[in-house]
Amino acid sequence: MLDENLARIRAHRNNIQRYRRLLKTRLSELERQFIERRVAEERSALDSLTAATFPVSFGCANTPAEIRAGQ
């Protein structure tokens, strides 16, 4: 499962890079809007997949445990 998610993350990152390269070329306004929308969709998918694959929880190191437990 982790290998599949890592491959999907890599694919999303590659797509974003490809779209960003395209945005540096001459495009019509319609093409530019489409590619910008695709970048946003890919970024959203990447963020969701990354959060699901690598869940992270941060606690304050200097906060007593009983205070953190109440949050």
Side-chain angles (χ1 to χ4, degrees):
M1 182 71 166
L2 180 63
D3 288 341
E4 292 174 13
N5 285 351
L6 291 175
R8 291 173 57 200
I9 287 170
R10 196 168 31 256
H12 286 301
R13 292 181 70 201
N14 290 342
N15 289 343
I16 291 168
Q17 289 174 349
R18 185 173 58 252
Y19 289 139
R20 286 186 178 156
R21 280 193 307 270
L22 282 171
L23 287 171
K24 294 179 182 178
T25 65
R26 289 187 65 183
L27 300 167
S28 71
E29 189 58 32
L30 184 62
E31 291 168 328
R32 185 166 301 283
Q33 289 174 0
F34 174 80
I35 293 173
E36 287 172 348
R37 188 171 56 247
R38 290 297 301 144
V39 169
E41 290 169 357
E42 289 286 345
R43 172 49 75 195
S44 177
L46 176 61
D47 290 345
S48 296
L49 182 58
T50 302
T53 305
F54 305 108
V56 178
S57 176
F58 294 104
C60 230
N62 295 329
T63 306
E66 57 271 10
I67 294 174
R68 282 184 283 171
Q71 293 179 352

